[in-house]
Amino acid sequence: MSQAIEQPRIVKIRENVLKKNDILARELRKRFQEKQVYVVNIVSSPGSGKTTLLTEVLARLSQKFNVAALVGDLATENDAHRLEQSGAKVKQITTGTVCHLEAQMIEDSIKNWDLNQLDFLFIENVGNLVCPSSYDLGENLRVVLFSTTEGEDKPEKYPTIVNSADIAILTKIDLLEAVDFNKESFYQSIYQSRPNMKVFEVSAKKDMGIDQWIDFLIEEKMKAFKKMEV
């Protein structure tokens, strides 16, 4: 009996939390748009190589642009310290038991930042392919990472994050043969959820595909703010 009464209440609370998050995310998106800050939300499971890739992207982009990163983790500031090696401005968000970042966390983290001094803001979400799919962070682009070491069926297991993402990146492409990764099956599992989804193949270790990914980001930023300049 208690479960029957409590369940609708839990659902209602979750709906209210998501509604509040969406409202704040829209406000954040408006602020980012006004300041012409291009925001990229990166989602993956732990161990996919997103910190290694992002460190390299920050280092290269910072040669021409003002870049910064927010990095979410349940505990420790290890990833933030690694990202700082790029020379970019980095801030850690420690979530404790929360398995995703929320718009309020982004708002709190940037409240003392001068957005006029930023061109790109990267958000490295908590390592999780479930919870982050429901939380808008005001980003321009949501990117989901999969690695060859995770197996080619990972997108099939997590269709919601594929559906909510704009772009997919396949990391550790240099290990393709070593782990017997079936790339054809991987693309089939991606396209089951999102036909014709754009996928980048990269290797931070072997410097493969990173410049193409960066060129895409620069082009997307230009497109996003072109109308404002007219």
Side-chain angles (χ1 to χ4, degrees):
M1 178 68 71
S2 60
Q3 288 183 345
I5 295 173
E6 189 175 337
Q7 187 62 32
R9 179 176 177 272
I10 293 174
V11 171
K12 185 64 177 177
I13 291 173
R14 176 169 171 77
E15 288 176 349
N16 290 339
V17 169
L18 289 174
K19 182 178 180 180
K20 179 182 177 181
N21 185 86
D22 287 345
I23 292 172
L24 182 52
R26 285 196 294 270
E27 293 174 358
L28 282 171
R29 183 170 288 108
K30 182 179 179 181
R31 286 174 57 192
F32 291 140
Q33 183 77 13
E34 290 172 348
K35 302 298 183 180
Q36 298 194 25
V37 181
Y38 193 79
V39 183
V40 182
N41 179 11
I42 303 175
V43 181
S44 78
S45 58
S48 66
K50 63 179 178 295
T51 303
T52 302
L53 175 61
L54 183 53
T55 300
E56 191 61 38
V57 170
L58 290 172
R60 298 188 191 189
L61 268 178
S62 63
Q63 296 175 18
K64 295 183 179 180
F65 299 92
N66 294 319
V67 298
L70 299 174
V71 52
D73 211 337
L74 297 177
T76 82
E77 297 186 0
N78 295 344
D79 288 347
H81 293 323
R82 291 174 61 192
L83 291 177
E84 286 173 345
Q85 296 174 11
S86 68
K89 185 174 186 177
V90 178
K91 189 166 187 178
Q92 175 76 43
I93 303 175
T94 304
T95 63
T97 59
V98 181
C99 60
H100 57 270
L101 293 179
E102 299 178 4
Q104 186 63 60
M105 298 176 185
I106 306 303
E107 166 72 15
D108 292 342
S109 297
I110 66 169
K111 61 184 178 183
N112 294 322
W113 285 11
D114 183 0
L115 296 182
N116 291 305
Q117 301 301 315
L118 277 185
D119 297 308
F120 286 93
L121 173 61
F122 291 87
I123 302 171
E124 182 180 325
N125 219 310
V126 179
N128 190 315
L129 287 176
V130 180
C131 305
S133 63
S134 300
Y135 288 84
D136 185 1
L137 303 180
E139 69 266 25
N140 295 92
L141 194 73
R142 180 178 293 183
V143 183
V144 57
L145 269 62
F146 299 103
S147 71
T148 56
T149 54
E150 295 176 293
E152 57 273 356
D153 63 342
K154 204 64 176 285
E156 191 174 356
K157 293 178 179 178
Y158 298 93
T160 303
I161 193 64
V162 176
N163 274 312
S164 69
D166 302 294
I167 298 293
I169 296 180
L170 178 61
T171 63
K172 305 182 184 182
I173 195 69
D174 56 302
L175 298 177
L176 193 78
E177 295 182 2
V179 298
D180 196 25
F181 184 84
N182 189 323
K183 194 159 68 170
E184 183 178 349
S185 294
F186 170 77
Y187 277 92
Q188 287 178 351
S189 64
I190 284 276
Y191 295 152
Q192 281 179 4
S193 298
R194 288 286 297 280
N196 303 315
M197 187 179 198
K198 191 172 185 64
V199 181
F200 287 88
E201 300 179 5
V202 305
S203 167
K205 185 176 182 180
K206 297 294 185 179
D207 191 10
M208 300 166 61
I210 298 176
D211 285 336
Q212 289 88 340
W213 166 234
I214 290 174
D215 288 343
F216 173 81
L217 290 174
I218 294 172
E219 183 179 346
E220 290 301 302
K221 173 178 167 59
M222 293 175 63
K223 288 179 183 177
F225 305 123
K226 187 175 182 179
K227 292 181 179 180
M228 297 180 64
E229 297 173 355
V230 176

